[in-house]
């Protein structure tokens, strides 16, 4: 069994749900408290033992590359002023040379297309995919998935139950036998209507996939929304390779949604010693207990 060493971060989306902010700022750079969404995803991947981060970008995403680079002028200024705390914060955003690769997605053709754009870097190895829009707060979700992968092999996706009226927003699993927090995946369908959805077990933005999925994606078949859907490609691996859904420990926030992004900011702020007391006092002043 080959280890999972590489992770793909599809970050080429336009972020139209967050206009006008995303007119100038990539949606993956929108902050939750004081760190951008992308940093949370990268830290999750590092905690899972990922060695190489592959960012699939697009036009207008230069800020992503700048963020993980060394801000030499700023570092020099902080050193001269003896601001050690601020320097320590910056260090967490600086990845080692060669640990990050950037690939351009030259057309918005769907998540499957974005993943396929990284094929020459992932090669014949299994790889992870993390969607920064899905912020999972708690123990590294990807680390839990890697541990499960070492037990069962094949493909592992993160799953959670959603309201039936929400199935049209997710890839939905046809579940098989469940053992502990792992459920055998018998089928996958992208964005089914509630009345035909096979379950309410939804795929969220964390995947460990075998390299054969790239061959399927290369066919360029269009699915829901006339896009190349990763869910459709994964479905073709079922029955040919082990395929499981992991019910993870942690809380997921859909930060691709305005309300979800606000909820994430509140929840993570309340859990911090530096800003939590002030936020809690403000909420209490509104007559709400937090």
């Amino acid at each position: 069994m080959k280890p999972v060493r590489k992770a793909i971060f599809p970050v080429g989306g336009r972020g139209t749900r967050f206009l006008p902010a995303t007119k100038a700022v990539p949606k993956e750079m929108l902050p939750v408290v004081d760190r951008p969404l992308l940093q949370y995803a990268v830290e999750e991947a590092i905690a899972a033992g990922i060695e190489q981060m592959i960012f699939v970008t697009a036009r207008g995403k230069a800020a992503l590359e700048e963020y993980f680079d060394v801000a030499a002028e700023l570092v020099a200024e902080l050193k001269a002023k003896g601001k050690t705390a601020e320097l320590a914060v910056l260090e967490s955003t600086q990845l080692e040379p060669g640990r990050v690769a950037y690939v351009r997605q030259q057309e918005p053709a769907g998540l499957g297309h974005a993943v396929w754009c990284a094929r020459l870097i992932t090669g014949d190895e299994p790889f992870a995919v993390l969607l920064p829009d899905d912020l999972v707060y708690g123990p590294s979700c990807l680390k839990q998935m890697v541990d499960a992968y070492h037990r069962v092999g094949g493909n592992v996706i993160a799953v959670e139950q959603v309201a039936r009226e929400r199935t049209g927003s997710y890839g939905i699993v046809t579940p098989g036998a469940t053992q502990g927090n792992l459920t055998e995946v018998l089928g996958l369908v992208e964005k089914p209507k509630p009345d035909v959805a096979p379950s309410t077990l939804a795929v969220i933005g964390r995947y460990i996939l075998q390299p054969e999925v790239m061959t399927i994606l290369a066919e360029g078949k269009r699915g829901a929304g006339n896009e190349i859907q990763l869910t459709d490609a994964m479905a073709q691996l079922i029955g040919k390779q082990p395929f499981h859904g992991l019910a993870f420990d942690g809380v997921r926030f859909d930060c691709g949604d305005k309300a979800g992004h606000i909820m994430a900011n509140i929840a993570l702020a309340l859990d911090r010693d530096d800003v939590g007391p002030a936020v809690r006092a403000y909420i209490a002043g509104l007559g709400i207990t937090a």
Side-chain angles (χ1 to χ4, degrees):
M1 182 186 301
K2 292 183 178 179
V4 182
R5 301 187 309 112
K6 301 178 181 182
I8 300 172
F9 299 80
V11 291
R14 300 183 185 279
T16 52
R17 285 188 287 178
F18 277 90
L19 286 170
T22 47
K23 178 181 178 182
V25 179
K27 66 175 181 176
E28 299 82 10
M29 299 304 294
L30 294 175
V32 173
V33 187
D34 56 2
R35 289 184 289 171
L37 284 167
L38 185 55
Q39 185 174 344
Y40 288 99
V42 167
E43 290 174 355
E44 180 184 329
I46 291 172
I50 297 298
E51 299 173 12
Q52 187 173 35
M53 319 293 164
I54 306 165
F55 297 148
V56 182
T57 69
R59 290 181 62 84
K61 299 283 185 167
L64 299 174
E65 299 184 23
E66 295 289 344
Y67 182 79
F68 288 103
D69 200 355
V70 176
E73 300 85 354
L74 178 58
V75 169
E77 181 180 336
L78 292 174
K79 284 182 176 179
K81 295 181 178 179
K83 294 184 175 293
T84 56
E86 289 81 357
L87 284 167
V89 170
L90 281 184
E91 286 180 6
S92 67
T93 70
Q94 297 168 4
L95 298 176
E96 299 161 350
R99 197 163 185 180
V100 180
Y102 297 95
V103 178
R104 281 293 185 105
Q105 183 184 18
Q106 295 172 320
E107 59 174 315
L111 176 58
H113 180 260
V115 170
W116 174 79
C117 287
R119 68 199 181 281
L120 298 181
I121 301 177
T122 57
D124 62 353
E125 297 183 35
F127 58 89
V129 179
L130 296 93
L131 307 188
D133 284 2
D134 278 334
L135 191 162
V136 182
Y137 189 56
S140 169
C141 177
L142 188 61
K143 174 64 164 59
Q144 297 173 59
M145 295 172 66
V146 168
D147 291 344
Y149 167 76
H150 288 154
R151 297 197 305 271
V152 298
N155 305 274
V156 180
I157 55 178
V159 295
E160 70 175 9
Q161 295 290 345
V162 298
R164 181 160 287 276
E165 60 268 22
R166 295 281 295 155
T167 60
S169 299
Y170 295 91
I172 299 295
V173 171
T174 300
T178 296
Q179 186 172 6
N181 59 354
L182 282 173
T183 297
E184 185 180 6
V185 176
L186 301 181
L188 285 168
V189 58
E190 181 67 17
K191 298 180 173 63
K193 294 181 179 179
D195 57 337
V196 297
S199 75
T200 55
L201 193 61
V203 183
I204 71 145
R206 301 291 186 272
Y207 314 78
I208 292 176
L209 301 173
Q210 295 300 312
E212 287 78 8
V213 77
M214 291 295 194
T215 302
I216 298 170
L217 290 170
E219 298 172 4
K221 294 181 179 178
R222 303 277 174 152
N226 196 34
E227 294 182 335
I228 300 172
Q229 297 290 349
L230 182 60
T231 300
D232 294 343
M234 293 190 301
Q236 295 188 48
L237 298 177
I238 297 170
K240 301 175 183 177
Q241 298 174 344
F243 213 120
H244 293 85
L246 174 76
F248 55 92
D249 291 329
V251 180
R252 167 192 168 253
F253 296 96
D254 179 5
C255 291
D257 173 78
K258 293 176 184 176
H261 184 248
I262 293 169
M263 292 175 193
N265 270 280
I266 294 171
L268 271 64
L270 288 172
D271 204 32
R272 286 181 44 158
D273 293 335
D274 55 348
V275 297
V279 175
R280 189 170 289 104
Y282 174 75
I283 292 174
L286 298 176
I288 304 170
T289 302

